[in-house]
Amino acid sequence: MVDTTVELCGLKLDNPVIPASGTFGFGYEFAELYDINILGSFSFKGTTKEPRFGNPTPRIAECTRGLINSVGLQNPGIDKVISEELPKLKKCFDKKVIANISGFSVDEYVYCCKKIDAEEQVGIIEVNISCPNVHNGGMSFGTDTKSAYEVTKAVKAVTTKPVFVKLSPNVTDIAAIAAACEEGGADGISLINTLLGMRIDLKTKRPVIANKMGGFSGEAIFPVALRMVYQVYEAVKIPVIGMGGVLTADDVIEMMLAGASAVQVGAANLINPYACRDIINNLPQVMKKYNISRLTDIIGMAH
Amino acid sequence: MKISDFKIIENRKIAKDVFKMILSGDTDNITKPGQFINIAISGLYLRRPISVCDYDEGVVTIIYKVVGKGTEKLSEMFEGEVLHDVMTGLGNGFSVNNNAKKPLLVGGGVGVPPLYALAKKLKNPVVVLGFNSSEDMFYAEEFRALSDRVYISTADGSFGEKGFVTDVISKLNGYDYTYACGPEPMLRALYNAVSVPGEYSFEERMGCGFGACMGCSCKTKYGSKRICKDGPVLLKEEIIW
Ligand SMILES: Cc1cc2nc3c(=O)[nH]c(=O)nc-3n(C[C@H](O)[C@H](O)[C@H](O)COP(=O)(O)OP(=O)(O)OC[C@H]3O[C@@H](n4cnc5c(N)ncnc54)[C@H](O)[C@@H]3O)c2cc1C
Ligand SMILES: Cc1cc2nc3c(=O)[nH]c(=O)nc-3n(C[C@H](O)[C@H](O)[C@H](O)COP(=O)(O)O)c2cc1C
Ligand code: FES
């Protein structure tokens, strides 16, 4: 028997496989297809203070082995997430969830984290800092060490739950951003969010996405994500959740070798709704193939 | 929603760039006209959503127009080949059990196919089909077999009434409900031209096709809806243009 369990800041997971925020909704579509209690955990759709419709459509563009999305954080707002989505989710998922929080000012992040802190269902807060900071010329919180530090420090002050800061890959020095979050008190780092990308329709000669650009993810970004997880693992002492292009149990192991303590699966859920189940089912035999008896033994082994 | 393999029974050109494909496989999840299937195409990342034109136990018919890479690859497939991982039972579909006594079905271009399965379930509906030209036209005879009131318009006048579906409809009366599918300008023109309630089927670019990604959202008077799951069919009364 192989041991697939991992741990994130005291939260024990049966396995390291976690659906990534925005690709698993609040779980129900998938709960109709399989028992989602097999998952390690699950990061729910990015939630903001106010309800958001998101960006205009088209929001999706196809790429080679990936897609661009410009959903724009469509969500019902933190209050409805707590009063409606979490109770519904509880009926199909009895493990702790990861609450993915977004904001457009430090105050918004603080507001949401304070509210979600009271929710027993939530095991970890994942703070997505890829959003534009409206008080700082719209520059993303995640592309500036100072803003990253400030958000982290502010949310840490209002919650006792472990805080994982989710980084944007659209930076020149990912290690510096991660280090700033650690200094701000982050309990862990999640990475990567989507890469800024674009497609143009040859027939109309216009951008495919209404907002022109969007976030590129899927299999194609795996090497970029892996490299960044590797760099961040060396830069910080706190645990790292790796994601970006993960499709197979082999990819999970590769991410963990680079330094991930757990792994999220995003776009793959959209293409194959059974992706996480398949990875979880395959993990033990892939571990055997590579002579791994305990998954935690390989975290960061490639360094 | 279900994911399963389908075998191609027929894949035949029926109009300019338009193909009819008959598939055999598990159709248990297809329950209503107006639903769609999402077809994985080898080498392409996203599935292609195509409406169900007709369905029966174990058989589903689709009609698609070649407009890009995916539909081109589909058109090059042969009888006996297998489409892997097709998603079926997607979308809300048209409601057939409503109180409409005299339904009017309006289709434009490749918006015509989903109306066929619907027409089969309704009693002698009035059907108005619009195409650009006679060479683009398909399924006129198939609809005539179901209804004795089938009207056709072509934009260039090469067949039927010259003009748009709304030009034909302006001369009709006695209908009390509309079911429509076609390009958005057609849906909008129809919306403005008729006063009766109805159901309109929309398209949007999709990430997943089963409600998970929020890629296909649209605003309606009843809140935001996902075209793939809460649609593609919207009630006329809820549409916001
Ligand atoms: C609910 C629904 C039902 C449909 N039913 C039919 C039908 O019965 N017959 C038919 O011919 N077509 C139908 N379409 C349109 C069909 O999905 C597109 O023509 C097809 O996806 C084009 O793929 P492509 O690879 O050939 O084109 P490309 O332009 O190469 O495709 C690139 C990407 O854009 C997407 N895309 C392009 N055009 C559309 C479009 N109009 N709607 C949604 N996504 C699009 C593709 O899916 C793909 O992800 C339907 C669309 C929807 C949303
Ligand atoms: C449709 C879609 C919606 C997403 N929404 C969110 C979100 O709300 N919050 C967030 O932190 N990340 C969001 N992401 C990013 C993913 O969680 C993940 O970080 C990224 O897609 C890389 O993983 P992947 O290559 O496996 O998709 C979204 C991604 C996709 C494809
Ligand atoms: S396409 Fe993903 S929710 Fe509709």
Side-chain angles (χ1 to χ4, degrees):
Chain A
M1 268 298 279
V2 293
D3 182 358
T4 60
T5 60
V6 297
E7 200 187 300
L8 291 173
C9 303
L11 183 65
K12 274 232 173 235
L13 309 184
D14 294 335
N15 62 67
V17 181
I18 304 169
S21 177
T23 62
F24 215 73
F26 286 90
Y28 339 120
E29 279 77 24
F30 296 85
E32 284 171 21
L33 301 175
Y34 66 93
D35 180 5
I36 62 173
N37 285 300
I38 61 166
L39 301 168
S41 179
F42 144 48
S43 177
F44 64 57
K45 175 66 198 168
T47 297
T48 53
K49 183 178 176 200
E50 307 294 340
R52 284 175 57 83
F53 171 71
N55 292 330
T57 56
R59 296 176 172 181
I60 302 288
E62 186 177 55
C63 304
T64 303
R65 295 197 168 262
L67 82 161
I68 292 171
N69 89 82
S70 139
V71 169
L73 294 168
Q74 178 172 2
N75 79 91
I78 186 81
D79 291 330
K80 267 215 169 130
V81 166
I82 290 172
S83 66
E84 289 175 19
E85 305 290 353
L86 287 182
K88 263 204 275 178
L89 177 59
K90 193 161 194 147
K91 291 190 191 134
C92 51
F93 191 62
D94 54 30
K95 293 181 174 175
K96 300 266 190 202
V97 297
I98 299 178
N100 186 281
I101 301 294
S102 286
F104 300 91
S105 68
V106 172
D107 289 348
E108 283 184 32
Y109 281 105
V110 166
Y111 179 90
C112 291
C113 291
K114 219 187 240 173
K115 286 226 155 170
I116 213 77
D117 185 60
E119 294 306 308
E120 195 247 329
Q121 252 171 297
V122 173
I124 287 174
I125 300 179
E126 182 172 62
V127 178
N128 169 19
I129 58 166
S130 301
C131 316
N133 179 352
V134 293
H135 297 306
N136 188 19
M139 197 162 88
S140 155
F141 285 97
T143 56
D144 172 39
T145 47
K146 196 163 151 274
S147 317
Y149 170 84
E150 277 168 9
V151 180
T152 311
K153 203 166 160 70
V155 302
K156 271 299 286 178
V158 297
T159 177
T160 53
K161 294 193 194 289
V163 171
F164 275 63
V165 182
K166 182 166 172 182
L167 306 188
S168 162
N170 304 311
V171 297
T172 40
D173 189 354
I174 193 84
I177 306 275
C181 296
E182 184 177 40
E183 205 190 318
D187 301 286
I189 302 288
S190 285
L191 82 165
I192 59 176
N193 212 313
T194 53
L195 291 151
L196 195 60
M198 183 170 181
R199 295 305 306 268
I200 294 170
D201 186 323
L202 300 191
K203 274 183 267 171
T204 62
K205 314 207 169 30
R206 305 290 309 151
V208 172
I209 300 267
N211 260 13
K212 299 189 177 77
M213 294 165 210
F216 177 35
S217 72
E219 292 153 62
I221 72 166
F222 183 75
V224 178
L226 186 82
R227 180 265 295 177
M228 290 192 161
V229 167
Y230 188 91
Q231 287 176 311
V232 167
Y233 179 79
E234 295 204 338
V236 299
K237 293 190 182 63
I238 49 181
V240 173
I241 302 179
M243 76 195 84
V246 172
L247 181 69
T248 63
D250 288 58
D251 297 340
V252 169
I253 289 175
E254 201 171 335
M255 271 291 176
M256 295 186 75
L257 289 168
S261 292
V263 172
Q264 292 188 11
V265 178
N269 293 304
L270 309 179
I271 305 311
N272 171 15
Y274 296 103
C276 287
R277 182 200 67 181
D278 293 350
I279 292 172
I280 291 165
N281 288 345
N282 287 334
L283 200 52
Q285 76 206 53
V286 175
M287 285 171 69
K288 270 190 217 134
K289 181 175 168 193
Y290 295 104
N291 296 316
I292 301 162
S293 54
R294 205 167 56 179
L295 214 42
T296 49
D297 290 344
I298 67 159
I299 298 169
M301 215 185 215
H303 291 261
Chain B
M1 191 262 280
K2 204 174 221 170
I3 301 184
S4 58
D5 294 349
F6 281 79
K7 194 167 164 182
I8 301 173
I9 305 290
E10 186 183 311
N11 190 20
R12 184 167 57 87
K13 193 170 179 175
I14 58 169
K16 186 176 162 231
D17 298 330
V18 176
F19 289 74
K20 171 181 175 178
M21 185 181 258
I22 304 176
L23 298 165
S24 88
D26 181 350
T27 55
D28 288 358
N29 271 39
I30 305 175
T31 54
K32 277 166 131 193
Q35 289 182 323
F36 66 97
I37 65 175
N38 216 356
I39 302 175
I41 291 164
S42 101
L44 298 177
Y45 195 70
L46 300 175
R47 286 184 175 76
R48 298 315 194 245
I50 303 288
S51 302
V52 169
C53 169
D54 196 8
Y55 63 101
D56 211 332
E57 214 184 301
V59 194
V60 54
T61 302
I62 56 170
I63 291 176
Y64 62 92
K65 185 171 181 178
V66 174
V67 295
K69 283 197 290 274
T71 44
E72 186 175 347
K73 282 201 175 191
L74 210 54
S75 73
E76 288 160 356
M77 294 187 77
F78 295 104
E79 278 166 33
E81 281 191 89
V82 174
L83 290 177
H84 293 284
D85 300 330
V86 178
M87 281 188 191
T88 55
L90 303 174
N92 58 352
F94 293 110
S95 68
V96 188
N97 300 320
N98 61 50
N99 298 322
K101 292 199 178 60
K102 291 175 188 148
L104 170 68
L105 275 54
V106 185
V110 282
V112 166
L115 299 178
Y116 182 70
L118 178 66
K120 277 181 132 180
K121 300 219 179 244
L122 299 171
K123 261 186 253 119
N124 207 18
V126 180
V127 180
V128 179
L129 309 177
F131 300 96
N132 280 325
S133 170
S134 60
E135 61 181 7
D136 302 305
M137 193 173 74
F138 59 88
Y139 258 47
E141 289 315 311
E142 282 80 352
F143 276 96
R144 287 210 172 96
L146 300 176
S147 164
D148 45 27
R149 291 178 72 195
V150 177
Y151 304 90
I152 291 173
S153 70
T154 52
D156 67 358
S158 54
F159 191 93
E161 174 104 11
K162 182 176 161 62
F164 300 107
V165 287
T166 42
D167 296 322
V168 175
I169 292 163
S170 64
K171 294 173 197 152
L172 298 176
N173 48 44
Y175 54 86
D176 58 0
Y177 202 78
T178 48
Y179 292 100
C181 185
E184 209 168 294
M186 181 205 96
L187 296 178
R188 198 195 279 247
L190 179 71
Y191 178 96
N192 292 323
V194 303
S195 55
V196 297
E199 297 173 26
Y200 292 55
S201 182
F202 287 81
E203 286 185 356
E204 194 45 82
R205 292 204 177 220
M206 295 184 176
C208 65
F210 59 92
C213 74
M214 300 290 162
C216 64
S217 298
C218 73
K219 284 183 183 158
T220 76
K221 288 180 188 153
Y222 302 149
S224 114
K225 292 201 166 179
R226 296 159 296 181
I227 290 296
C228 71
K229 179 117 181 174
D230 313 308
V233 177
L234 300 181
L235 295 175
K236 188 185 179 202
E237 66 196 47
E238 65 179 321
I239 296 169
I240 299 174
W241 295 103

